[in-house]
Amino acid sequence: MTPTPNGRVALVTGASRGIGRAIALGLARDGFDVVVNDIERQREPLEAVVAEIAALGRRGIAAFADVADRAQVQAMVAGAIAETGRIDAVVNNAGILITGTVEELPEQSWDAVMDVNAKGTFLVVQALLPHMRERGYGRIVNIASIGGKHGAPEQAHYSASKAAIMGFTRVLAQEVGPLGITANCVCPGIIVTDMGRTNLEEKAVADRWIANTAMRRLGQPEDVVGPACFLASDAAAFVTGQSLNVCGGIVLS
Ligand SMILES: NC(=O)c1ccc[n+]([C@@H]2O[C@H](COP(=O)([O-])OP(=O)(O)OC[C@H]3O[C@@H](n4cnc5c(N)ncnc54)[C@H](O)[C@@H]3O)[C@@H](O)[C@H]2O)c1
């Protein structure tokens, strides 16, 4: 990866495990100090990620907040800026998946998924923008999903939340481009994590995903790291408003 000038700081939400953890460690390897966020319930694994960042020679800071809660997000961002002096890059990774058909989905499940995935991304970005505007610099990386482009049965609300993130990011890129800030999405395919296993409960289903993937394998969290770190780096200075599929070739566009 492109070496990151010393002292840069990134914020990664939902970083206690899975894709968020892998990206946080990838950013640390690239030279960022990393503020890692998750919900209070994930205290122990999040603190383990902080220790892993320290072992890489960078500073890790745990920041507990529910990204769907405006007051908690505002406090987290203010606290992170007060402690580090700067946030150069944010990776909005926190997300949830609840399955259910459109016909049977409880309204609360729709709201919960939209609140964390779509509103959570908006709230974190909104809280950070004054700081990024002031500095005339920012890298915003939103983790969407190929589910937002294609989707699978029983995930209509999840797909809608990820499509919302992409639409949000396209307009955000136009608003913040003149300020020296880029905004892009990464759209992972089927990645083996706690969430990813929801798509892989039956072997036949996993086999079908593999057969439909050009690379003929499932993704690992590490597969998402390079693309996310690229979009968070200076190397991606002229890339904005894009949604990059990182799916081994399930969606070919
Ligand atoms: N795994 C996949 O196959 C896949 C595919 C496409 C996109 N994604 C997306 O990648 C991101 C990471 O997913 P993952 O597979 O690593 O899932 P995961 O469930 O392993 O990790 C999600 C993390 O987000 C945290 N989180 C959940 N709600 C939160 C909240 N309200 N505030 C703060 N943190 C919260 C969780 O505690 C957890 O640490 C998600 O946005 C997900 O939608 C995953």
Side-chain angles (χ1 to χ4, degrees):
M1 284 296 0
T2 316
T4 299
N6 275 341
R8 291 234 171 136
V9 181
L11 166 65
V12 183
T13 67
S16 74
R17 65 180 190 220
I19 294 170
R21 171 184 166 273
I23 291 173
L25 296 177
L27 289 167
R29 276 192 295 272
D30 278 0
F32 283 89
D33 291 341
V34 192
V35 181
V36 285
N37 151 268
D38 217 292
I39 47 179
E40 179 63 41
R41 202 173 59 226
Q42 294 293 105
R43 177 171 285 277
E44 226 175 280
L46 194 68
E47 282 173 351
V49 175
V50 167
E52 287 181 279
I53 292 169
L56 291 167
R58 307 305 322 181
R59 186 171 181 212
I61 299 169
F64 297 95
D66 175 348
V67 295
D69 182 306
R70 171 184 288 277
Q72 290 186 34
V73 168
Q74 295 277 351
M76 170 180 75
V77 168
I81 293 169
E83 189 142 354
T84 64
R86 59 194 287 172
I87 302 287
D88 299 276
V90 60
V91 181
N92 285 297
N93 164 83
I96 59 170
L97 168 64
I98 305 168
T99 54
T101 62
V102 173
E103 206 170 355
E104 291 178 354
L105 190 75
E107 187 181 340
Q108 295 89 323
S109 297
W110 171 278
D111 286 345
V113 167
M114 288 307 246
D115 277 0
V116 176
N117 298 2
K119 192 172 81 174
T121 299
F122 156 66
L123 289 176
V124 173
V125 168
Q126 194 179 51
L128 269 169
L129 276 185
H131 174 72
M132 288 183 168
R133 169 192 285 278
E134 196 181 302
R135 297 187 58 232
Y137 183 91
R139 294 278 179 271
I140 299 169
V141 182
N142 297 328
I143 306 299
S145 170
I146 61 165
K149 297 183 172 180
H150 187 270
E154 300 189 21
Q155 298 183 14
H157 51 318
Y158 178 81
S159 179
S161 75
K162 294 300 186 178
I165 292 171
M166 285 187 263
F168 170 74
T169 305
R170 281 192 287 269
V171 175
L172 176 66
Q174 295 173 63
E175 289 186 5
V176 301
L179 310 175
I181 303 168
T182 65
N184 292 284
C185 287
V186 171
C187 301
I190 306 297
I191 310 294
V192 182
T193 64
D194 286 16
M195 181 189 291
R197 285 184 195 97
T198 310
N199 291 308
L200 307 169
E201 272 160 7
E202 291 166 37
K203 187 177 177 306
V205 176
D207 287 347
R208 202 166 60 239
W209 278 117
I210 292 168
N212 288 333
T213 304
M215 301 308 296
R216 291 292 187 277
R217 67 173 176 84
L218 301 170
Q220 298 298 323
E222 287 66 31
D223 287 313
V224 188
V225 173
C229 289
F230 163 66
L231 292 172
S233 77
D234 283 343
F238 205 51
V239 181
T240 197
Q242 306 302 309
S243 295
L244 176 61
N245 299 327
V246 182
C247 63
I250 298 174
V251 175
L252 301 165
S253 68

